[in-house]
Amino acid sequence: MQTFTTPSDYLDAAREMADTGRPALARLLAEEAADRTPDPKEAARILAGFLGRSLRKEN
């Protein structure tokens, strides 16, 4: 079982999902990684690597 404690954990999982043909999960994990990244430029770079619009359901 994988533990997610850092942005890089989420990003690693996002890459794994992308590599296995699950782009929606990859995008969600990348968004979480970006949210947990304190540097806005780095967060934008993370999201740029996972194309598509946000799939999050906002309240």
Side-chain angles (χ1 to χ4, degrees):
M1 183 172 158
Q2 188 171 2
T3 303
F4 296 91
T5 56
T6 66
S8 64
D9 294 332
Y10 286 92
L11 192 52
D12 289 343
R15 289 183 184 122
E16 184 178 335
M17 293 300 107
D19 290 345
T20 58
R22 295 178 264 189
L25 288 174
R27 177 62 192 201
L28 288 170
L29 287 161
E31 288 176 5
E32 191 62 36
D35 286 349
R36 293 170 182 264
T37 301
D39 179 4
K41 288 183 181 180
E42 179 64 14
R45 187 193 66 76
I46 290 169
L47 292 177
F50 296 88
L51 300 177
R53 61 180 178 78
S54 177
L55 300 170
R56 291 181 175 175
K57 186 175 184 178
E58 300 293 332
N59 292 332

